[in-house]
């Protein structure tokens, strides 16, 4: 029998929830059952799959209050949980709307007069999704919905740190038998995820670089595709021509949304010498009034640190920065309130790339601000990282575009930050150690779950094989 896992409440610090990972034998059987059911799911056709997903969405809406409560208990924050649910439900509608065009098959003539081509695709039978704790609902479904529409079956292994949201989803799923056969959630930690990879045909993973490496190696051993969305250390560059009111507001939001626990968080800020002092004073003035969501979830904007281990990482980065000469202008400490770990928005200056806070993923509401003297220096600093997920540039549009093309990152927001949170049409790849595989945005987000097949038709069936007349 597998050992139960106790789950901590991020607001109270109490372990008030328990999950029980499936025994290996049962997980393997579940994978086999789900893979068999995929045949019927694919044969259902796209219209049938869309109908099933819409039925699931309606059932979730009927029990939305229970989902909200579970997600708040998982993460300790309210407004972001509501936004996360809204985004998830709208993603079902968006993919149901886009799928018919994206999954169209085509037939055409080729450069060889007697050969016609039919281009078709076949879904991977069983997709495994391993998701993290920072956006539990969004990141467990961002790959799941397009995979289901493509005709795949999916097994999701959410983080053992935030598993409560799964129960309301399963309750809704039980009302849609056709979908319930091919969409399964399994509880567990690393061992469960490892076994899942051994029994699926494709894996999607979102999480740290360290774990992502292990996932990539395990997938390679199984000879299956792996789509990895990993860590980030997103830079923002603020040039002299920037609108400082806009830049400070956008960077502040991107740095503290979800308490900085986001892959799209701005984690390092480079500002032109001439506006450096004015910039960081404006940033402090906007950051300082933000309140913690304590003692109630409605009390303020900044929620708790969800994962207890992350509190230690943030504290270590702050201590390292201060020891090396950084100046803390606001925030700067981890607070223990009611058993939960909290960090107020923190602005740092006198920082450099010898500090962890400028080079390692912090995943907290920390804003280190560093001046630069030339645009070339700014680009060099932004690219001085093992990460390349996304970035932001603030300047006149022409100047910002020139800089954006030089940054080694998959998505660059111009005169805003974190725009990939609301705009999903642009395909992007993670650079460097920030990920691997095709884009989870744009058309590729759905098409990557299909294996392409070319059907080559000889139209003149009475003649000899094409190679026959070419024999010496």
């Amino acid at each position: 029998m597998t050992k139960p896992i106790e789950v901590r409440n991020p607001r109270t610090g109490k372990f008030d929830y328990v999950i029980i990972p499936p025994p290996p034998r049962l997980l393997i059987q579940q994978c086999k059952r789900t893979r068999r059911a995929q045949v019927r799911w694919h044969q259902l056709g796209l219209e049938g799959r869309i109908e099933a997903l819409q039925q699931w969405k309606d059932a979730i809406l009927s029990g939305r209050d229970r989902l909200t409560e579970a997600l708040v208990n998982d993460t300790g924050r309210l407004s972001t949980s509501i936004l996360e649910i809204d985004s998830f439900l709208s993603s079902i509608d968006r993919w149901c709307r886009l799928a018919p065009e994206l999954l169209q098959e085509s037939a055409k003539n080729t450069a060889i007069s007697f050969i016609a081509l039919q281009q078709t695709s076949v879904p991977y039978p069983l997709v495994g999704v391993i998701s993290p704790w920072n956006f539990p609902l969004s990141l467990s479904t961002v790959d799941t919905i397009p995979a289901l529409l493509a005709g795949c079956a999916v097994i999701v292994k959410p983080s053992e740190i935030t598993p409560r949201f799964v129960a309301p989803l399963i309750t809704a799923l039980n009302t849609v038998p056709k979908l319930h056969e091919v969409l399964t959630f399994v509880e567990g930690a690393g061992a469960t995820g490892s076994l899942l990879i051994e029994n699926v045909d494709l894996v999607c993973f979102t999480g740290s670089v360290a774990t992502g490496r292990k996932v990539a190696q395990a997938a390679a051993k199984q000879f299956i595709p792996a789509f990895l969305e990993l860590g980030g250390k997103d830079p923002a560059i603020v040039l002299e021509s920037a609108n400082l009111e806009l830049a400070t507001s956008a960077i502040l939001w991107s740095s503290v949304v979800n308490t900085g626990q986001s892959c799209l968080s701005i984690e390092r800020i480079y500002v032109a010498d001439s506006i450096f002092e004015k910039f960081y004073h404006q940033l402090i003035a906007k950051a300082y009034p933000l309140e913690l969501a304590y003692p109630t979830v409605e009390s303020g904007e900044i929620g708790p640190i969800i994962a207890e281990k992350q509190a230690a990482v943030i504290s270590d980065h702050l201590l390292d920065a201060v020891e090396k000469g950084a100046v803390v202008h606001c925030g700067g400490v981890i607070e223990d309130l009611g058993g939960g770990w909290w960090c107020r928005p923190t602005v740092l200056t006198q920082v450099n790339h010898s500090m962890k806070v400028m080079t390692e993923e912090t995943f907290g509401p920390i804003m280190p601000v560093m001046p630069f003297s030339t645009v070339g220096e700014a680009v060099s600093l932004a690219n001085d990282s093992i990460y390349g997920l996304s970035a932001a540039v603030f300047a006149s549009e022409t100047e910002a575009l020139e800089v954006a093309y030089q940054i080694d990152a998959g998505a660059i927001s111009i005169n805003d930050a974190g725009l990939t949170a609301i705009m999903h049409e642009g395909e992007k790849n993670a650079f460097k150690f920030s990920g691997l595989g095709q884009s989870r945005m744009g058309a590729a987000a759905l098409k990557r779950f299909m294996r392409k097949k070319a059907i080559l038709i000889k139209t003149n069936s009475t003649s000899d094989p094409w190679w026959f007349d070419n024999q010496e």
Side-chain angles (χ1 to χ4, degrees):
M1 182 176 178
T2 54
K3 185 179 179 181
I5 298 173
E6 293 184 315
V7 182
R8 176 181 172 273
N9 185 308
R11 295 189 66 85
T12 66
K14 295 179 180 179
F15 290 86
D16 57 9
Y17 194 81
V18 175
I19 61 174
I20 303 177
R25 178 177 57 84
L26 292 183
L27 178 56
I28 292 170
Q29 290 176 353
Q30 181 64 63
C31 289
K32 290 178 178 178
R33 284 196 301 270
T34 309
R35 183 182 280 105
R36 287 196 297 269
Q38 182 270 338
V39 176
R40 294 188 295 275
W41 177 248
H42 186 222
Q43 291 173 344
L44 192 61
L46 180 57
E47 288 186 7
R49 298 195 291 273
I50 289 174
E51 182 181 358
L53 280 166
Q54 288 294 330
Q55 289 173 355
W56 187 38
K57 187 194 80 171
D58 291 342
I60 291 169
L61 280 169
S62 297
R64 178 176 179 137
D65 289 346
R66 291 189 294 276
L67 179 58
T68 302
E69 181 183 3
L71 204 53
V72 169
N73 287 333
D74 271 333
T75 62
R77 34 74 163 170
L78 177 60
S79 59
T80 305
S81 295
I82 293 171
L83 182 63
E84 193 173 352
I85 294 170
D86 288 340
S87 176
F88 161 57
L89 295 173
S90 67
S91 75
I92 295 178
D93 287 336
R94 184 179 74 253
W95 281 119
C96 287
R97 184 179 68 253
L98 295 173
E101 180 180 353
L102 295 177
L103 295 178
Q104 278 185 346
E105 297 185 354
S106 63
K108 63 180 180 180
N109 294 324
T110 68
I112 300 175
S113 62
F114 59 86
I115 299 177
L117 170 65
Q118 286 189 7
Q119 194 74 62
T120 187
S121 299
V122 178
Y124 286 91
L126 182 59
V127 171
V129 173
I130 302 174
S131 57
W133 48 262
N134 56 321
F135 287 98
L137 175 62
S138 297
L139 294 177
S140 66
T141 56
V142 65
D143 301 307
T144 299
I145 301 305
L148 288 167
L149 285 168
C152 310
V154 182
I155 295 183
V156 182
K157 204 292 287 181
S159 171
E160 68 277 16
I161 295 173
T162 51
R164 299 172 184 84
F165 77 99
V166 170
L169 291 184
I170 293 176
T171 298
L173 197 57
N174 288 337
T175 68
V176 191
K178 291 178 181 177
L179 184 58
H180 185 255
E181 285 187 333
V182 292
L183 175 57
T184 301
F185 292 82
V186 296
E187 298 174 326
T192 302
S194 296
L195 185 59
L196 182 63
I197 296 170
E198 295 176 10
N199 290 277
V200 298
D201 306 300
L202 180 153
V203 62
C204 297
F205 172 81
T206 308
S208 69
V209 172
T211 306
R213 283 176 177 269
K214 296 177 182 178
V215 171
Q217 291 166 356
K221 187 176 180 180
Q222 298 300 124
F223 218 68
I224 63 172
F227 301 137
L228 312 177
E229 180 97 356
L230 307 179
K233 191 69 179 175
D234 292 1
I237 295 177
V238 185
L239 302 182
E240 191 174 13
S241 59
N243 178 328
L244 289 193
E245 184 64 28
L246 169 65
T248 49
S249 293
I251 289 172
L252 175 64
W253 173 85
S254 182
S255 299
V256 306
V257 66
N258 198 32
T259 317
Q261 301 163 123
S262 171
C263 60
L264 56 76
S265 290
I266 294 297
E267 291 213 1
R268 48 199 175 106
I269 306 160
Y270 304 103
V271 182
D273 277 327
S274 59
I275 57 172
F276 175 74
E277 188 169 340
K278 186 175 181 182
F279 173 90
Y280 82 75
H281 280 297
Q282 283 192 25
L283 185 64
I284 294 165
K286 292 179 179 181
Y288 190 79
L290 296 180
E291 296 289 344
L292 301 178
Y294 182 85
T296 71
V297 288
E298 296 91 358
S299 296
E301 304 86 355
I302 309 300
I305 300 167
I306 297 171
E308 190 169 20
K309 289 182 179 179
Q310 202 61 41
V313 172
I314 297 169
S315 181
D316 176 57
H317 286 196
L318 289 171
L319 180 62
D320 174 74
V322 171
E323 287 179 345
K324 293 176 180 176
V327 176
V328 178
H329 295 274
C330 58
V333 295
I334 303 297
E335 301 178 52
D336 180 353
L337 299 173
W341 296 110
W342 305 79
C343 184
R344 298 177 189 274
T346 299
V347 177
L348 306 173
T349 58
Q350 299 297 314
V351 293
N352 58 63
H353 280 218
S354 73
M355 301 174 182
K356 295 177 182 179
V357 77
M358 295 298 285
T359 56
E360 299 179 13
E361 188 172 36
T362 307
F363 229 54
I366 314 301
M367 293 162 278
V369 189
M370 181 176 177
F372 64 83
S373 56
T374 67
V375 173
E377 182 188 6
V379 171
S380 179
L381 288 167
N383 289 338
D384 182 23
S385 174
I386 65 168
Y387 300 106
L389 197 59
S390 52
V393 181
F394 294 84
S396 65
E397 186 172 327
T398 300
E399 193 174 18
L401 284 170
E402 290 178 357
V403 172
Y405 286 123
Q406 300 176 63
I407 297 176
D408 297 331
I412 318 295
S413 296
I414 302 295
N415 289 322
D416 211 328
L419 290 179
T420 52
I422 59 172
M423 207 292 290
H424 306 281
E425 297 169 30
E427 293 188 6
K428 67 182 185 70
N429 293 118
F431 285 38
K432 304 178 184 177
F433 285 94
S434 282
L436 189 68
Q438 297 179 54
S439 175
R440 62 162 41 152
M441 295 185 179
L446 191 152
K447 292 182 177 181
R448 63 192 170 137
F449 295 108
M450 310 289 287
R451 292 170 293 181
K452 294 180 180 179
K453 294 180 70 172
I455 310 298
L456 307 173
I457 306 166
K458 183 180 179 183
T459 56
N460 183 357
S461 60
T462 60
S463 65
D464 292 326
W466 69 270
W467 45 266
F468 188 84
D469 291 335
N470 294 291
Q471 303 301 305
E472 293 183 0

